[in-house]
Amino acid sequence: MSELSVIIPVYNTEGYLRKCLDSVRNQTMRDMEIICVDDGSTDASPDILDEYARMDERIRVIHKENGGLVSARKAGLAIASGRYTGYVDSDDWIGADMYETLCRVMKESRAELVTCGYYLEGNYRTEHLDTVKEGLYRQEDMGHLREQTIYRLECRETGIRGGVWCKLFCTGLLRKIQAEIPDEISIAEDKLCVLRYILDCSSVYVLKKPLYHWVIRRSSMSHVSEAQDNDYLVRVHHVYRYLTGLYGHVNFTESMRFQAELYITELLLLGINKRMGFQNRNLLWIDPCWLDRIPLHARIVLYGGGELADTYKRQLRSRPDVTLSAVVEESRGTEEYKKETVPLEALGTFAYDYIVITIKNRGRAAYVREKLLGMKIPGEKIIWHEQPEVYWRYIEAEREPGRGQDGAGTGSGRETLQR
């Protein structure tokens, strides 16, 4: 019996799989079994898995018909023999000491779950951590943690990050929880598993250290095509049905129900803006109120390319008096973006009055602001408009009537990043 079982569901990830497998094989912790579940891949992934199994006796490979991410995880978990279990998605990779760190914390704290942070690897890297306090939660603290698992309402973010891949579970309890997640759930499967596990477990250790590397790509197992998903509302319905089934759980409170309903609202808005193939996309995504901060006849530069910048550009059409001087993108990885943007070092060649940061993530926007200040650009020329999802305004109004009348609330949602 191994100390640890690492389960890797695989579906058509031949271009990423070797890096993933190498990162798991080369862990500083050696006492582990690596269970790879080929979920009916049609590319070279099955051959790569068999090749690695011949190289490393710790690797076991299951080949099965395609059944989706949930069924692949169940298949791996069914043969797991480790005391603890972790998941890794086959297009991601992990830090060399991830599992040694998580297992050490699990043993020392005697927790039933350890959760850590991760890096989001896209056009640039961002760090994501749980927003609750670091440390061990048990007994009465667990009630407090459970009520912040879906959302930490005061900061309008998730309290515990939903990915199962940045966590270490006790195998026995996880096997029970995972078996109860319906195979037809194809969105939010991680979040539902984590939520149910935290409802049932007695202790959690929150480690505010990023150890996992989540690589963004459009065709991942957990990513539904954003072009047009005619079944998206059916997918949301499966999530809704599962969540409502938890309402009777002894540890599920009215506050958690409120957050569950909010989460369904978030999924519905995601569908409107991204997944359902609407011709008019992003109807409720980017608030055009940022234009109110732009004076008449101003010349502006947008910092940040891609779909966000495209939305800002479309909204600019309602202000014909404003001139768009350029779109700056620090990381211009694709040929498409290279045609539409200019590199940061060319910023000085354009005349402008303001730079508008078109980034939703607060931490990343603050990083960009610091970089621009370091280039001797005056702070008053840098504008960032906070872009919370539209429902947060109504949520805060309902929970705190009258807040915002004296400027203490969210108001119009505008906010300037401070140095």
Side-chain angles (χ1 to χ4, degrees), residues 357 362-363 365-380 382 384 415-419:
I357 301 174
R362 172 185 290 274
Y367 168 79
V368 168
R369 177 181 171 82
E370 288 297 317
K371 175 168 285 195
L372 294 174
L373 290 171
M375 296 171 62
K376 308 302 182 184
I377 296 172
E380 61 270 18
I382 304 170
W384 177 72
E415 187 163 341
T416 300
L417 289 172
Q418 299 300 317
R419 189 171 186 175

Side-chain angles (χ1 to χ4, degrees), residues 260-317:
E261 293 172 355
L262 176 57
Y263 184 62
I264 294 297
T265 302
E266 180 180 355
L267 290 179
L268 292 172
L269 285 176
L270 175 64
I272 292 171
N273 293 328
K274 295 285 186 179
R275 301 289 176 85
M276 295 170 63
F278 283 8
Q279 190 172 24
N280 296 312
R281 296 177 64 189
N282 304 328
L283 292 173
L284 299 171
W285 190 35
I286 299 301
D287 190 335
C289 288
W290 68 275
L291 284 166
D292 296 343
R293 299 177 63 185
I294 308 299
L296 288 170
H297 308 297
R299 300 163 299 176
I300 69 169
V301 167
L302 299 179
Y303 187 109
E307 193 172 5
L308 271 171
D310 289 343
T311 302
Y312 275 76
K313 284 191 289 185
R314 285 196 299 272
Q315 292 177 353
L316 266 176
R317 294 170 190 163

Side-chain angles (χ1 to χ4, degrees), residues 335-354:
E335 290 300 320
E336 178 185 358
Y337 287 166
K338 286 180 181 179
K339 294 177 183 177
E340 299 177 353
T341 65
V342 298
L344 180 60
E345 54 268 24
L347 182 60
T349 64
F350 296 91
Y352 62 88
D353 300 302
Y354 300 96

Side-chain angles (χ1 to χ4, degrees), residues 133-301:
K133 292 181 179 179
E134 183 173 63
L136 178 65
Y137 293 78
R138 64 168 71 249
Q139 297 176 347
E140 64 270 14
D141 291 335
M142 279 299 296
H144 179 68
L145 182 67
R146 288 177 183 124
E147 294 205 344
Q148 298 186 86
T149 296
I150 305 177
Y151 292 108
R152 187 172 168 221
L153 293 175
E154 60 265 34
C155 65
R156 298 189 300 203
E157 284 196 52
T158 299
I160 299 293
R161 300 294 175 182
V164 297
W165 27 256
C166 56
K167 299 183 174 47
L168 189 65
F169 303 89
C170 290
T171 301
L173 180 56
L174 177 63
R175 186 175 283 123
K176 171 182 175 292
I177 299 302
Q178 187 74 75
E180 296 175 0
I181 304 293
D183 287 357
E184 62 264 24
I185 290 182
S186 56
I187 57 173
E189 53 272 271
D190 285 32
K191 195 173 189 75
L192 298 181
C193 182
V194 170
L195 172 61
R196 179 59 193 276
Y197 192 98
I198 291 178
L199 283 174
D200 281 18
C201 75
S202 62
S203 55
V204 174
Y205 194 97
V206 176
L207 178 65
K208 289 203 166 186
K209 181 178 182 180
L211 299 171
Y212 190 93
H213 296 259
W214 179 21
V215 180
I216 294 298
R217 69 182 187 93
R218 287 187 176 273
S219 55
S220 66
M221 287 187 71
S222 59
H223 186 93
V224 179
S225 172
E226 292 189 357
Q228 182 166 352
D229 180 6
N230 294 327
D231 294 326
Y232 183 77
L233 292 179
V234 175
R235 299 176 195 273
V236 174
H237 177 68
H238 291 318
V239 176
Y240 169 74
R241 287 290 298 272
Y242 183 82
L243 282 173
T244 56
L246 296 181
Y247 289 177
H249 193 287
V250 64
N251 292 324
F252 201 94
T253 65
E254 281 298 311
S255 175
M256 294 180 72
R257 176 170 178 168
F258 173 80
Q259 294 180 48
E261 293 172 355
L262 176 57
Y263 184 62
I264 294 297
T265 302
E266 180 180 355
L267 290 179
L268 292 172
L269 285 176
L270 175 64
I272 292 171
N273 293 328
K274 295 285 186 179
R275 301 289 176 85
M276 295 170 63
F278 283 8
Q279 190 172 24
N280 296 312
R281 296 177 64 189
N282 304 328
L283 292 173
L284 299 171
W285 190 35
I286 299 301
D287 190 335
C289 288
W290 68 275
L291 284 166
D292 296 343
R293 299 177 63 185
I294 308 299
L296 288 170
H297 308 297
R299 300 163 299 176
I300 69 169
V301 167

Side-chain angles (χ1 to χ4, degrees), residues 69-80:
L69 182 57
V70 172
S71 72
R73 287 174 173 166
K74 287 179 180 178
L77 193 56
I79 66 169

